[in-house]
Amino acid sequence: MAVPASARSGGAPAPRMLGIYLNDHLAGSTAGVRLARRMAREHRHSAFSGELAKLAVEIAEDRRALLWCMASIDVPVRRYKIYGGLAGELVSRVKPNGRLRRRSGLSTVLELEALRLGVEGKALLWRTLLATAVHEPRLDTGRLAELLDRAGQQLTTLDSLHSRAVSALVSPGHRPGVPGSEAGTAASGRRHPS
């Protein structure tokens, strides 16, 4: 996604290491957006639908906010890192989940954990940029604080989704092939010892 030229400050370029750091986060953010959108699509008929759809929108907005931050301090986008993030997300799909052709509850748990790690990293990114803003007036500290707060809210949502996915995975009434199903033993018609 191109950032409008009007977002560029025309000031001194950011230090080289900061540019590398921000491009690394952009690569991770690119993978995170893809994962969040795929999860929202795959769970559109599940109990997780609304929360995952909201997360996918917010994670995409956060990526755009990172691009604006980079443009405001004249950090060029390194396309090869974006492509690396996309490739990493594609490779992450090839993981054992106990099934050959279908998703399992384990896929949901692992993907929620991957999203959570990404959001933790993003929260650290916003903290780093807030610290950088002390010496870099082109960064909007108010907006960075809002993004940091939103990352905290996203972590809370992901923790809730993860707990529910784990409960569904290990519960005796878990229905194979229904990721995130919260079917109880009554729905399965079986009784299991405690």
Side-chain angles (χ1 to χ4, degrees), residues 13 15 31 38 51 56 58 85 95 130-131 142 155-156 163 167 170 183:
R38 182 167 50 84
E51 290 157 301
E58 289 180 357
K95 60 187 175 304
L130 276 166
L155 288 170
T156 300
S163 293
S167 292
V170 300

Side-chain angles (χ1 to χ4, degrees), residues 83-95:
Y83 299 137
L86 292 172
E89 194 277 329
L90 288 172
V91 169
S92 74
R93 295 182 192 193
V94 183
K95 60 187 175 304

Side-chain angles (χ1 to χ4, degrees), residues 34-186:
R34 294 268 308 242
L35 175 59
R37 285 178 175 163
R38 182 167 50 84
M39 288 188 72
R41 189 173 54 252
E42 290 173 352
H43 291 273
R44 66 186 172 275
H45 300 298
S46 80
F48 296 173
S49 175
E51 290 157 301
L52 284 173
K54 182 176 185 245
L55 278 170
V57 168
E58 289 180 357
I59 289 170
E61 289 172 354
D62 293 344
R63 182 179 182 278
R64 285 191 295 275
L66 173 56
L67 284 166
W68 279 92
C69 288
M70 291 171 69
S72 71
I73 57 175
D74 297 314
V75 171
V77 171
R78 303 293 181 209
R79 298 271 175 222
Y80 69 90
K81 290 203 176 190
I82 292 175
Y83 299 137
L86 292 172
E89 194 277 329
L90 288 172
V91 169
S92 74
R93 295 182 192 193
V94 183
K95 60 187 175 304
N97 68 359
R99 301 226 172 83
L100 290 177
R101 296 180 190 247
R102 293 183 306 166
R103 292 178 52 78
S104 73
L106 181 57
S107 298
T108 301
V109 169
L110 292 173
E111 288 169 351
L112 286 168
E113 289 175 359
L115 269 182
R116 191 183 195 293
L117 287 171
V119 173
E120 285 178 7
K122 180 173 59 182
L124 293 171
L125 163 70
W126 302 138
R127 285 191 187 125
T128 299
L129 287 175
L130 276 166
T132 303
V134 171
H135 307 288
E136 180 49 81
R138 294 176 290 179
L139 289 170
D140 182 348
T141 56
R143 180 66 178 136
L144 290 169
E146 290 171 6
L147 290 163
L148 179 57
D149 184 55
R150 180 157 77 175
Q153 294 167 15
Q154 291 168 354
L155 288 170
T156 300
T157 299
L158 286 165
D159 285 344
S160 171
L161 289 169
H162 185 266
S163 293
R164 289 161 40 204
V166 168
S167 292
L169 181 66
V170 300
S171 71
H174 174 67
R175 295 180 298 178
V178 184
S181 74
E182 297 181 19
T185 54

